Amino acid sequence: MCAIFGILGEYEEQTAKKALSTLAHRGPDFCGVMQRKNLFFAHQRLSITDTHSHSNQPLIYEKILLSFNGEIYNFKELMLELAGEFDFKTRSEGEVIIAAYLKWGVEFVTHLRGMFAIALLDDETLYLFRDRLGKKPLFFMHDKAFVFASEIKGLIPFLQKIEMESDALLSYLSFLAPTPPFTFFKKIKKLAAGEYLIFKDGHIEIKRYFDLLDVKPSIITDKDEAVFLLQKRLEESINIRLSSAVPMASLLSGGIDSATINAYALKGGVNLQTYTLGYKNFAKYDERQNARESAELLGVKNQEVEISQSEFLDALDKTLDTLDEPLNDPAAVPLYLLFERIKKDGYKVVLSGEGSDELFLGYRQYFEFLDIQNLSKLKNKNWLSGYFHSNFSMNREWERYKRVFDDTLLFRTSGENFTDLQKNVAMRRNVRDNESLKYLKNYRDRFEASSHTDESIWYSYIDLHLFQAEHFLSKLDRVSMAHGIESRTPFLDHKLASLVFSIDPKLRYADGVTKSLLKSVVAPLVDEKILLRRKKGFSNPYMEYIIESGKIALIKEVNEQTGIFKRDVLDEHIQKASSGGFKQHIWGLYVLSVWIKKYLL
């Protein structure tokens, strides 16, 4: 894992080096820079699979410059395939990327298996690639010069003025994170998962090279066949991520996903050190007992890390600074502290279970939405539509039924937070009902143009793009890389995801059991006690902490200066959060307030 950074156009050397230095945490092992007039091309390296200095970047080959962040798990196979056409000087992934580009052009990216953000300059043409499922970030801006970086903080020094992007604010309130291409910084954009950018002659063009929906639906309709193929693909996905020249660890909750990763690792002969979080004085959020039992059943060594209120609060500002922009996930703070401990123990790679819930329908609400979706078939629903419009409620169930009776899009990600009508009630601006659909339009258009028709595939598709790539994976990348740790997510292997999308969707939900298909897949390796546990999720006492500490007052303080929200509605939300309601709404407003105070006030 590393950081990539570059400038095409006029620049001040001091500013460029200062911006690059903000990314040093992502690659503390080496900093490489290639610069000349109107070009600054750089790389911060974290050595994982090849620690030799000959693999330092940027790599230069004739007129090609490469800066690459990530892991290409099939690079050895590609090297063998390309050996007759390219004279390899190293055993590095970067050189394989250059060789693949020379053979296949921009299509080389379709031959890569892994996670990556790639900057490749071929003479005067720059190509930027973000991996298929959005594990690695890539930001860019085009003002006096074109600048790109692995994190927003590397671009901020080039802004003439910091202004908030309104589309980032509105999509953040709706979906927990700004949707591509928006960031909270006007003029700074981000590539979406599966996209690449071409910059040539001062012009930007963005194209898509991968889409899960290109997989034909229901190729596999037999459950036994599906289970067999998934077992093979999942085992392969985990095994290729166990390769490392540095120490590796794994996260362990009380759930199926982390148990699956560790079970397959053990089958492959690798006993990973595992880590579990717990909260002092807050047993209801604690998974240590379940994780302890899982560790015993699996036969792994587990390290419990307990977090106190003071530790959480001390790490709060550091964590939010790490994220660069508002991201509504209170788990970022304890995860930051957990990775801090893992780094202290000497580990540079951590395996994590992101993506399993989205692929195998692990959220109970997926099944609730499928039930509600059936109401769209009612022939006489005009009266019901009128009734719901005449009886407004802030209740989520009210919103869901209104949508289905209005024939508007029902499911809008598992991370939907403020609905449009809730925003309209809370904000000092008019927000039209269904206004947020514009942030989902490209995804929904692709779904409706595809051969997939089962709505559960839409649930997985949009959640993988937004709830995962822009929310969970953004959090995971920033807080792990803040400590120079590479996080690997085996469930988000694109071949595994494509296989799931080719299976008859009903095999995932017909019996009404969450993760039913995955449970069948891992049953030979994972104890039934783990498979039958009720999902708990990565919850923590964040609201209790900010209320008791008085930090929640920042929301009102900032709003008095900005006037974004109506004072009385804000007061009502904060009061409800104190008694357990609207907690995610209020945390999102707190994170937003911290960012506004830092950059705009």
Side-chain angles (χ1 to χ4, degrees):
M1 278 309 141
C2 312
I4 65 175
F5 175 80
I7 308 169
L8 275 68
E10 294 183 12
Y11 66 91
E12 294 180 359
E13 184 176 1
Q14 184 177 359
T15 304
K17 290 183 175 179
K18 179 184 176 182
L20 176 60
S21 70
T22 66
L23 304 173
H25 56 278
R26 293 185 70 92
D29 296 330
F30 179 79
C31 177
V33 177
M34 191 281 176
Q35 65 181 111
R36 60 175 184 255
K37 184 180 179 180
N38 292 333
L39 178 66
F40 189 96
F41 212 79
H43 186 265
Q44 293 278 172
R45 185 182 181 200
L46 177 65
S47 305
I48 299 293
T49 56
D50 178 5
T51 59
H52 200 284
S53 61
H54 62 202
S55 296
N56 289 339
Q57 299 180 43
L59 286 180
I60 304 172
Y61 181 84
E62 297 179 350
K63 291 185 177 181
I64 295 174
L65 269 176
L66 176 76
S67 185
F68 151 69
N69 165 31
E71 295 288 349
I72 308 302
Y73 300 114
N74 64 333
F75 84 97
K76 291 179 181 178
E77 291 87 343
L78 287 173
M79 184 176 283
L80 285 174
E81 183 177 352
L82 297 166
E85 304 178 43
F86 188 87
D87 184 19
F88 288 99
K89 306 296 185 185
T90 72
R91 299 286 296 172
S92 72
E93 295 160 289
E95 204 175 18
V96 169
I97 290 173
I98 291 175
Y101 170 73
L102 290 172
K103 179 175 177 63
W104 294 301
V106 293
E107 293 298 315
F108 83 91
V109 71
T110 64
H111 294 262
L112 306 182
R113 186 175 184 181
M115 53 181 175
F116 49 81
I118 298 171
L120 189 151
L121 182 66
D122 184 356
D123 198 7
E124 299 298 318
T125 304
L126 174 70
Y127 300 97
L128 299 178
F129 300 85
R130 187 179 180 194
D131 65 67
R132 296 172 180 84
L133 297 178
K135 300 174 188 179
K136 292 292 104 185
L138 193 43
F139 301 91
F140 63 93
M141 61 176 288
H142 187 204
D143 195 358
K144 293 182 178 180
F146 183 88
V147 192
F148 62 88
S150 290
E151 294 184 15
I152 289 173
K153 57 177 60 69
L155 301 180
I156 293 174
F158 301 95
L159 291 172
Q160 302 298 311
K161 179 183 178 182
I162 293 180
E163 299 177 90
M164 181 165 64
E165 171 60 64
S166 62
D167 280 311
L169 171 63
L170 292 172
S171 59
Y172 164 78
L173 292 173
S174 291
F175 307 118
L176 306 179
T179 56
F182 306 111
T183 75
F184 267 83
F185 296 84
K186 193 172 281 189
K187 294 193 174 180
I188 297 179
K189 308 295 183 186
K190 60 183 172 183
L191 277 183
E195 287 186 345
Y196 72 101
L197 178 150
I198 306 168
F199 180 72
K200 184 177 182 180
D201 298 328
H203 298 289
I204 295 172
E205 185 178 9
I206 296 176
K207 297 183 178 182
R208 173 163 293 277
Y209 70 88
F210 176 79
D211 199 322
L212 277 169
L213 295 172
D214 289 341
V215 175
K216 291 182 180 179
S218 298
I219 296 174
I220 301 158
T221 57
D222 179 73
K223 183 177 179 180
D224 289 339
E225 181 186 5
V227 168
F228 174 78
L229 293 173
L230 286 169
Q231 285 173 336
K232 294 293 185 183
R233 187 55 53 80
L234 182 57
E235 182 173 8
E236 176 194 47
S237 178
I238 292 169
N239 283 343
I240 62 176
R241 287 164 175 80
L242 294 174
S243 174
S244 173
V246 298
M248 299 180 68
S250 175
L251 303 185
L252 183 68
S253 66
I256 300 172
D257 308 333
S258 58
T260 295
I261 290 171
N262 284 281
Y264 273 108
L266 286 167
K267 184 181 178 184
V270 180
N271 193 327
L272 297 167
Q273 173 66 54
T274 64
Y275 286 84
T276 301
L277 268 174
Y279 302 96
K280 191 173 183 179
N281 301 324
F282 282 94
K284 67 178 180 179
Y285 297 111
D286 219 310
E287 279 206 289
R288 281 180 288 181
Q289 181 57 46
N290 284 341
R292 208 172 291 145
E293 184 179 41
S294 291
E296 185 177 338
L297 290 168
L298 290 165
V300 298
K301 294 179 181 178
N302 187 45
Q303 177 64 55
E304 297 178 2
V305 178
E306 184 179 74
I307 294 174
S308 67
Q309 178 172 330
S310 61
E311 288 172 321
F312 182 100
L313 295 173
D314 287 345
L316 180 53
D317 288 341
K318 288 184 290 186
T319 304
L320 298 185
D321 281 344
T322 292
L323 298 174
D324 286 334
E325 64 177 340
L327 183 71
N328 188 350
D329 191 343
V333 183
L335 199 61
Y336 180 95
L337 288 166
L338 181 59
F339 277 110
E340 185 175 62
R341 169 60 187 272
I342 293 172
K343 179 185 181 181
K344 183 180 177 182
D345 289 350
Y347 295 96
K348 293 179 75 173
V349 177
V350 172
L351 270 64
S352 186
E354 278 77 7
S356 171
D357 286 316
E358 291 74 17
L359 286 173
F360 294 102
L361 303 185
Y363 304 126
R364 187 70 241 170
Q365 68 169 341
Y366 285 145
F367 296 84
E368 295 168 1
F369 274 101
L370 285 170
D371 284 342
I372 296 172
Q373 191 76 51
N374 288 326
L375 294 175
S376 63
K377 301 172 185 175
L378 288 174
K379 293 181 179 179
N380 302 304
K381 56 188 177 183
N382 289 341
W383 181 89
L384 288 166
S385 175
Y387 175 83
F388 274 86
H389 278 275
S390 301
N391 293 272
F392 173 72
S393 170
M394 295 282 276
N395 186 286
R396 287 185 181 274
E397 282 69 28
W398 176 89
E399 175 71 26
R400 293 171 183 175
Y401 286 114
K402 177 188 70 67
R403 288 176 185 174
V404 80
F405 295 138
D406 279 355
D407 287 324
T408 57
L409 185 63
L410 173 60
F411 184 82
R412 306 181 188 186
T413 85
S414 293
E416 186 176 15
N417 199 33
F418 281 91
T419 67
D420 292 322
L421 293 178
Q422 285 177 344
K423 284 188 288 186
N424 190 54
V425 168
M427 301 181 79
R428 291 185 182 276
R429 58 168 290 172
N430 183 50
V431 179
R432 293 177 292 104
D433 192 16
N434 295 319
E435 188 174 321
S436 63
L437 287 178
K438 68 180 180 179
Y439 304 116
L440 308 181
K441 186 177 187 304
N442 288 337
Y443 302 102
R444 187 64 186 183
D445 285 349
R446 289 201 294 269
F447 175 76
E448 292 184 350
S450 76
S451 52
H452 295 270
T453 56
D454 192 296
E455 283 296 313
S456 75
I457 292 293
W458 163 250
Y459 301 172
S460 295
Y461 182 71
I462 193 60
D463 269 0
L464 287 168
H465 277 279
L466 297 186
F467 198 41
Q468 268 298 330
E470 306 307 329
H471 178 239
F472 285 135
L473 292 179
S474 291
K475 171 197 67 179
L476 182 64
D477 174 82
R478 302 314 180 274
V479 300
S480 62
M481 293 305 295
H483 301 294
I485 293 175
E486 172 182 299
S487 51
R488 297 181 178 179
T489 51
F491 284 105
L492 288 172
D493 182 273
H494 82 275
K495 289 192 174 184
L496 175 62
S498 295
L499 175 59
V500 172
F501 271 54
S502 72
I503 294 171
D504 184 346
K506 292 184 179 61
L507 294 180
R508 299 190 303 165
Y509 66 76
D511 60 3
V513 177
T514 58
K515 289 185 183 171
S516 174
L517 193 55
L518 179 62
K519 290 171 183 175
S520 297
V521 168
V522 302
L525 291 179
V526 178
D527 194 280
E528 190 177 50
K529 291 180 182 178
I530 299 174
L531 298 182
L532 295 179
R533 277 193 199 127
R534 187 170 181 174
K535 182 179 177 63
K536 191 167 187 177
F538 197 45
S539 56
N540 67 87
Y542 63 92
M543 191 54 59
E544 290 92 333
Y545 288 162
I546 66 166
I547 290 174
E548 189 174 328
S549 67
K551 286 182 174 290
I552 198 169
L554 181 68
I555 299 173
K556 292 184 181 182
E557 174 193 324
V558 168
N559 194 59
E560 287 299 315
Q561 298 177 70
T562 63
I564 295 175
F565 300 96
K566 298 170 187 173
R567 185 185 303 171
D568 58 335
V569 179
L570 206 56
D571 289 344
E572 185 180 344
H573 280 3
I574 292 174
Q575 183 59 42
K576 288 181 178 178
S578 300
S579 57
F582 287 90
K583 288 169 63 175
Q584 186 114 36
H585 292 70
I586 292 302
W587 178 260
L589 295 179
Y590 174 77
V591 171
L592 173 65
S593 301
V594 171
W595 184 87
I596 290 174
K597 184 175 182 179
K598 178 179 180 179
Y599 288 106
L600 302 181
L601 299 181

